[in-house]
Amino acid sequence: VRLGKMARNTLPAFYSWAALNHPDSTRLLTLHTSLSPSDDIVISIRESRLSTSPDYEAVSYCWATEDGDDSRNCSLSCDGTLILITQNCEAALKRLCNDRDRILWVDAICS
């Protein structure tokens, strides 16, 4: 498993997805600002009720690479814990990191 810098230094616990509190809820993640493409991906996750019409962007990507690798061998930091993601998910999130936090729905993370 290819772990980010934070994980190599402290090896945090893995993120635990709690049950949603409402039938109209989903998880949304905040993709935090990155200063450099080499920075680790840092997110936070919150429950949001769809009945409140939250603003977010949905991310669509292919889970597997061109050679068919869909293993979760990359990592990101979420509230002091670790989430394993595919290489393509990592690439999509790195492309979306910019000078502002973004609210996203990413199937592999928010489902």
Short mmCIF file of all heavy atoms in Angstrom, two decimals, residues 26-33 43-44 46 48 50 53-61 89 92-93 95-111:
data_model
loop_
_atom_site.label_atom_id
_atom_site.label_comp_id
_atom_site.label_asym_id
_atom_site.label_seq_id
_atom_site.Cartn_x
_atom_site.Cartn_y
_atom_site.Cartn_z
N THR A 26 -26.82 12.09 2.80
CA THR A 26 -25.68 11.55 2.08
C THR A 26 -24.42 12.08 2.77
O THR A 26 -24.50 12.96 3.62
CB THR A 26 -25.70 11.95 0.59
OG1 THR A 26 -24.70 11.21 -0.10
CG2 THR A 26 -25.46 13.45 0.39
N ARG A 27 -23.29 11.53 2.39
CA ARG A 27 -22.02 12.06 2.88
C ARG A 27 -21.45 12.98 1.81
O ARG A 27 -21.49 12.65 0.63
CB ARG A 27 -21.04 10.93 3.17
CG ARG A 27 -21.43 10.08 4.34
CD ARG A 27 -20.46 8.90 4.51
NE ARG A 27 -21.00 7.98 5.49
CZ ARG A 27 -21.85 6.99 5.20
NH1 ARG A 27 -22.23 6.78 3.95
NH2 ARG A 27 -22.31 6.20 6.14
N LEU A 28 -20.92 14.11 2.23
CA LEU A 28 -20.20 15.01 1.35
C LEU A 28 -18.82 15.19 1.92
O LEU A 28 -18.64 15.22 3.14
CB LEU A 28 -20.92 16.36 1.23
CG LEU A 28 -22.30 16.33 0.58
CD1 LEU A 28 -22.91 17.72 0.59
CD2 LEU A 28 -22.24 15.78 -0.83
N LEU A 29 -17.85 15.32 1.05
CA LEU A 29 -16.49 15.54 1.54
C LEU A 29 -16.03 16.94 1.18
O LEU A 29 -16.45 17.50 0.17
CB LEU A 29 -15.52 14.48 1.02
CG LEU A 29 -15.15 14.43 -0.45
CD1 LEU A 29 -14.02 15.39 -0.77
CD2 LEU A 29 -14.74 13.02 -0.81
N THR A 30 -15.23 17.49 2.04
CA THR A 30 -14.55 18.75 1.74
C THR A 30 -13.13 18.40 1.35
O THR A 30 -12.39 17.78 2.12
CB THR A 30 -14.54 19.69 2.96
OG1 THR A 30 -15.89 19.96 3.34
CG2 THR A 30 -13.82 20.99 2.64
N LEU A 31 -12.77 18.73 0.12
CA LEU A 31 -11.40 18.56 -0.37
C LEU A 31 -10.66 19.83 -0.01
O LEU A 31 -10.97 20.91 -0.53
CB LEU A 31 -11.40 18.32 -1.88
CG LEU A 31 -10.06 18.18 -2.56
CD1 LEU A 31 -9.28 16.97 -2.02
CD2 LEU A 31 -10.25 18.07 -4.06
N HIS A 32 -9.73 19.72 0.91
CA HIS A 32 -9.04 20.90 1.41
C HIS A 32 -7.96 21.38 0.46
O HIS A 32 -7.37 20.59 -0.28
CB HIS A 32 -8.49 20.63 2.81
CG HIS A 32 -9.58 20.34 3.80
ND1 HIS A 32 -10.42 21.31 4.28
CD2 HIS A 32 -10.00 19.18 4.35
CE1 HIS A 32 -11.30 20.78 5.11
NE2 HIS A 32 -11.06 19.47 5.16
N THR A 33 -7.71 22.66 0.49
CA THR A 33 -6.75 23.32 -0.38
C THR A 33 -5.39 22.63 -0.32
O THR A 33 -4.93 22.23 0.74
CB THR A 33 -6.59 24.79 0.06
OG1 THR A 33 -7.87 25.39 0.05
CG2 THR A 33 -5.66 25.54 -0.85
N ILE A 43 -8.99 15.50 3.34
CA ILE A 43 -10.43 15.74 3.24
C ILE A 43 -11.06 15.70 4.63
O ILE A 43 -10.43 15.24 5.59
CB ILE A 43 -11.14 14.70 2.34
CG1 ILE A 43 -11.11 13.32 2.99
CG2 ILE A 43 -10.54 14.68 0.95
CD1 ILE A 43 -12.07 12.33 2.37
N SER A 44 -12.28 16.14 4.71
CA SER A 44 -13.13 15.88 5.86
C SER A 44 -14.48 15.46 5.31
O SER A 44 -14.83 15.81 4.18
CB SER A 44 -13.23 17.10 6.78
OG SER A 44 -13.68 18.23 6.06
N ARG A 46 -18.73 14.98 6.07
CA ARG A 46 -19.86 15.34 6.92
C ARG A 46 -21.13 14.79 6.31
O ARG A 46 -21.22 14.57 5.10
CB ARG A 46 -19.96 16.85 7.09
CG ARG A 46 -20.29 17.59 5.80
CD ARG A 46 -20.41 19.10 6.02
NE ARG A 46 -20.43 19.82 4.77
CZ ARG A 46 -21.52 20.08 4.08
NH1 ARG A 46 -22.69 19.66 4.49
NH2 ARG A 46 -21.45 20.77 2.95
N SER A 48 -24.91 15.29 5.20
CA SER A 48 -25.71 16.42 4.72
C SER A 48 -27.06 15.90 4.25
O SER A 48 -27.12 14.87 3.58
CB SER A 48 -24.98 17.13 3.58
OG SER A 48 -25.67 18.27 3.17
N LEU A 50 -30.14 15.94 1.88
CA LEU A 50 -30.44 16.37 0.52
C LEU A 50 -31.64 17.31 0.48
O LEU A 50 -31.75 18.15 -0.41
CB LEU A 50 -30.66 15.16 -0.38
CG LEU A 50 -29.42 14.28 -0.56
CD1 LEU A 50 -29.77 13.03 -1.35
CD2 LEU A 50 -28.30 15.04 -1.22
N SER A 53 -30.93 20.93 0.02
CA SER A 53 -30.30 21.30 -1.25
C SER A 53 -28.86 21.81 -1.08
O SER A 53 -28.53 22.93 -1.47
CB SER A 53 -31.14 22.36 -1.98
OG SER A 53 -32.43 21.88 -2.22
N PRO A 54 -27.99 20.98 -0.51
CA PRO A 54 -26.60 21.43 -0.32
C PRO A 54 -25.89 21.64 -1.65
O PRO A 54 -26.18 20.97 -2.64
CB PRO A 54 -25.97 20.27 0.46
CG PRO A 54 -26.77 19.08 0.05
CD PRO A 54 -28.18 19.58 -0.15
N ASP A 55 -24.97 22.59 -1.67
CA ASP A 55 -24.15 22.82 -2.86
C ASP A 55 -22.97 21.85 -2.84
O ASP A 55 -22.25 21.78 -1.83
CB ASP A 55 -23.61 24.26 -2.88
CG ASP A 55 -24.69 25.27 -3.18
OD1 ASP A 55 -25.65 24.92 -3.89
OD2 ASP A 55 -24.57 26.41 -2.71
N TYR A 56 -22.80 21.11 -3.92
CA TYR A 56 -21.66 20.22 -4.04
C TYR A 56 -21.45 19.87 -5.51
O TYR A 56 -22.32 20.09 -6.34
CB TYR A 56 -21.83 18.94 -3.21
CG TYR A 56 -22.97 18.05 -3.67
CD1 TYR A 56 -22.73 16.99 -4.54
CD2 TYR A 56 -24.27 18.25 -3.22
CE1 TYR A 56 -23.76 16.17 -4.97
CE2 TYR A 56 -25.30 17.42 -3.63
CZ TYR A 56 -25.04 16.39 -4.50
OH TYR A 56 -26.06 15.57 -4.91
N GLU A 57 -20.27 19.34 -5.80
CA GLU A 57 -19.94 18.86 -7.13
C GLU A 57 -19.81 17.35 -7.07
O GLU A 57 -19.21 16.82 -6.12
CB GLU A 57 -18.61 19.46 -7.60
CG GLU A 57 -18.59 20.98 -7.66
CD GLU A 57 -17.19 21.49 -7.85
OE1 GLU A 57 -16.77 21.64 -9.02
OE2 GLU A 57 -16.50 21.74 -6.83
N ALA A 58 -20.37 16.65 -8.03
CA ALA A 58 -20.21 15.20 -8.11
C ALA A 58 -19.02 14.89 -9.01
O ALA A 58 -18.85 15.51 -10.06
CB ALA A 58 -21.47 14.55 -8.65
N VAL A 59 -18.20 13.95 -8.60
CA VAL A 59 -17.01 13.59 -9.34
C VAL A 59 -17.25 12.24 -10.02
O VAL A 59 -17.63 11.27 -9.38
CB VAL A 59 -15.78 13.50 -8.41
CG1 VAL A 59 -14.55 13.05 -9.18
CG2 VAL A 59 -15.53 14.84 -7.74
N SER A 60 -17.03 12.21 -11.33
CA SER A 60 -17.19 10.99 -12.10
C SER A 60 -15.82 10.60 -12.67
O SER A 60 -15.14 11.42 -13.26
CB SER A 60 -18.19 11.23 -13.24
OG SER A 60 -18.33 10.07 -14.02
N TYR A 61 -15.46 9.35 -12.49
CA TYR A 61 -14.18 8.85 -12.98
C TYR A 61 -14.27 7.34 -13.08
O TYR A 61 -15.17 6.72 -12.52
CB TYR A 61 -13.03 9.27 -12.05
CG TYR A 61 -13.18 8.64 -10.67
CD1 TYR A 61 -12.49 7.49 -10.35
CD2 TYR A 61 -14.04 9.18 -9.73
CE1 TYR A 61 -12.65 6.89 -9.11
CE2 TYR A 61 -14.21 8.60 -8.50
CZ TYR A 61 -13.52 7.45 -8.19
OH TYR A 61 -13.69 6.85 -6.96
N CYS A 89 -8.93 7.56 -8.47
CA CYS A 89 -9.58 8.47 -7.53
C CYS A 89 -8.57 9.50 -7.02
O CYS A 89 -8.85 10.70 -6.96
CB CYS A 89 -10.19 7.68 -6.36
SG CYS A 89 -11.15 8.70 -5.20
N ALA A 92 -7.93 12.04 -9.76
CA ALA A 92 -9.06 12.98 -9.91
C ALA A 92 -9.04 14.02 -8.79
O ALA A 92 -9.19 15.22 -9.05
CB ALA A 92 -10.38 12.21 -9.90
N LEU A 93 -8.83 13.58 -7.56
CA LEU A 93 -8.82 14.52 -6.43
C LEU A 93 -7.64 15.49 -6.52
O LEU A 93 -7.78 16.68 -6.23
CB LEU A 93 -8.82 13.77 -5.11
CG LEU A 93 -10.11 13.00 -4.80
CD1 LEU A 93 -9.95 12.18 -3.53
CD2 LEU A 93 -11.30 13.94 -4.70
N ARG A 95 -6.28 16.58 -9.22
CA ARG A 95 -6.59 17.57 -10.27
C ARG A 95 -7.57 18.63 -9.77
O ARG A 95 -7.60 19.74 -10.27
CB ARG A 95 -7.16 16.88 -11.49
CG ARG A 95 -6.11 16.08 -12.25
CD ARG A 95 -6.66 15.60 -13.54
NE ARG A 95 -6.92 16.75 -14.40
CZ ARG A 95 -6.43 16.92 -15.60
NH1 ARG A 95 -5.63 16.01 -16.09
NH2 ARG A 95 -6.73 17.97 -16.31
N LEU A 96 -8.41 18.25 -8.80
CA LEU A 96 -9.42 19.17 -8.28
C LEU A 96 -8.91 20.06 -7.15
O LEU A 96 -9.57 21.04 -6.80
CB LEU A 96 -10.66 18.39 -7.82
CG LEU A 96 -11.43 17.71 -8.94
CD1 LEU A 96 -12.48 16.77 -8.35
CD2 LEU A 96 -12.06 18.73 -9.86
N CYS A 97 -7.77 19.70 -6.56
CA CYS A 97 -7.20 20.55 -5.50
C CYS A 97 -6.75 21.86 -6.12
O CYS A 97 -6.07 21.87 -7.14
CB CYS A 97 -5.98 19.87 -4.86
SG CYS A 97 -6.39 18.57 -3.71
N ASN A 98 -7.14 22.95 -5.51
CA ASN A 98 -6.68 24.25 -6.00
C ASN A 98 -6.64 25.25 -4.86
O ASN A 98 -6.40 24.85 -3.72
CB ASN A 98 -7.54 24.73 -7.18
CG ASN A 98 -9.01 24.84 -6.82
OD1 ASN A 98 -9.38 25.00 -5.66
ND2 ASN A 98 -9.86 24.75 -7.81
N ASP A 99 -6.93 26.47 -5.12
CA ASP A 99 -6.76 27.54 -4.12
C ASP A 99 -7.97 27.72 -3.20
O ASP A 99 -8.05 28.68 -2.46
CB ASP A 99 -6.43 28.86 -4.82
CG ASP A 99 -7.52 29.28 -5.80
OD1 ASP A 99 -8.44 28.49 -6.06
OD2 ASP A 99 -7.43 30.41 -6.30
N ARG A 100 -8.93 26.81 -3.26
CA ARG A 100 -10.08 26.89 -2.36
C ARG A 100 -10.56 25.49 -2.01
O ARG A 100 -10.35 24.54 -2.76
CB ARG A 100 -11.22 27.67 -3.01
CG ARG A 100 -11.80 27.00 -4.24
CD ARG A 100 -12.98 27.76 -4.83
NE ARG A 100 -13.41 27.17 -6.08
CZ ARG A 100 -14.31 26.19 -6.18
NH1 ARG A 100 -14.86 25.69 -5.09
NH2 ARG A 100 -14.65 25.70 -7.35
N ASP A 101 -11.18 25.36 -0.85
CA ASP A 101 -11.79 24.09 -0.48
C ASP A 101 -12.96 23.82 -1.42
O ASP A 101 -13.63 24.76 -1.87
CB ASP A 101 -12.29 24.12 0.96
CG ASP A 101 -11.16 24.13 1.98
OD1 ASP A 101 -9.99 24.00 1.60
OD2 ASP A 101 -11.48 24.26 3.18
N ARG A 102 -13.21 22.56 -1.71
CA ARG A 102 -14.33 22.18 -2.58
C ARG A 102 -15.18 21.13 -1.87
O ARG A 102 -14.64 20.22 -1.24
CB ARG A 102 -13.81 21.59 -3.88
CG ARG A 102 -13.04 22.61 -4.71
CD ARG A 102 -12.48 22.00 -5.94
NE ARG A 102 -13.51 21.97 -6.98
CZ ARG A 102 -13.24 21.97 -8.27
NH1 ARG A 102 -11.99 21.98 -8.68
NH2 ARG A 102 -14.20 21.95 -9.16
N ILE A 103 -16.49 21.25 -2.00
CA ILE A 103 -17.42 20.27 -1.46
C ILE A 103 -17.76 19.31 -2.60
O ILE A 103 -18.23 19.72 -3.66
CB ILE A 103 -18.72 20.94 -0.93
CG1 ILE A 103 -18.39 22.06 0.05
CG2 ILE A 103 -19.64 19.88 -0.32
CD1 ILE A 103 -17.66 21.63 1.29
N LEU A 104 -17.51 18.01 -2.37
CA LEU A 104 -17.66 17.00 -3.41
C LEU A 104 -18.45 15.79 -2.92
O LEU A 104 -18.46 15.49 -1.72
CB LEU A 104 -16.28 16.50 -3.86
CG LEU A 104 -15.26 17.51 -4.34
CD1 LEU A 104 -13.91 16.82 -4.55
CD2 LEU A 104 -15.73 18.18 -5.62
N TRP A 105 -19.07 15.12 -3.88
CA TRP A 105 -19.59 13.78 -3.65
C TRP A 105 -18.77 12.87 -4.56
O TRP A 105 -18.76 13.05 -5.78
CB TRP A 105 -21.08 13.67 -3.99
CG TRP A 105 -21.63 12.31 -3.70
CD1 TRP A 105 -22.13 11.89 -2.50
CD2 TRP A 105 -21.70 11.20 -4.59
NE1 TRP A 105 -22.50 10.57 -2.60
CE2 TRP A 105 -22.27 10.12 -3.88
CE3 TRP A 105 -21.35 11.02 -5.91
CZ2 TRP A 105 -22.48 8.88 -4.45
CZ3 TRP A 105 -21.56 9.76 -6.50
CH2 TRP A 105 -22.13 8.72 -5.75
N VAL A 106 -18.06 11.92 -3.96
CA VAL A 106 -17.23 10.97 -4.68
C VAL A 106 -17.71 9.58 -4.29
O VAL A 106 -17.64 9.21 -3.11
CB VAL A 106 -15.74 11.15 -4.34
CG1 VAL A 106 -14.87 10.15 -5.07
CG2 VAL A 106 -15.27 12.58 -4.62
N ASP A 107 -18.21 8.81 -5.24
CA ASP A 107 -18.86 7.54 -4.92
C ASP A 107 -18.03 6.63 -4.03
O ASP A 107 -18.54 6.08 -3.05
CB ASP A 107 -19.29 6.82 -6.19
CG ASP A 107 -18.17 6.50 -7.15
OD1 ASP A 107 -17.02 6.92 -6.91
OD2 ASP A 107 -18.42 5.81 -8.15
N ALA A 108 -16.77 6.44 -4.32
CA ALA A 108 -15.93 5.50 -3.56
C ALA A 108 -15.71 5.93 -2.12
O ALA A 108 -15.32 5.12 -1.28
CB ALA A 108 -14.60 5.32 -4.27
N ILE A 109 -15.95 7.18 -1.82
CA ILE A 109 -15.70 7.70 -0.48
C ILE A 109 -17.01 8.02 0.24
O ILE A 109 -17.15 7.75 1.44
CB ILE A 109 -14.82 8.96 -0.55
CG1 ILE A 109 -13.48 8.62 -1.19
CG2 ILE A 109 -14.63 9.58 0.84
CD1 ILE A 109 -12.63 9.82 -1.55
N CYS A 110 -17.97 8.55 -0.46
CA CYS A 110 -19.20 9.06 0.17
C CYS A 110 -20.32 8.03 0.26
O CYS A 110 -21.29 8.24 0.99
CB CYS A 110 -19.70 10.29 -0.57
SG CYS A 110 -18.53 11.66 -0.52
N SER A 111 -20.24 6.94 -0.48
CA SER A 111 -21.33 5.94 -0.48
C SER A 111 -21.34 5.13 0.78
O SER A 111 -20.40 4.95 1.46
CB SER A 111 -21.17 5.01 -1.67
OG SER A 111 -21.31 5.73 -2.86
#
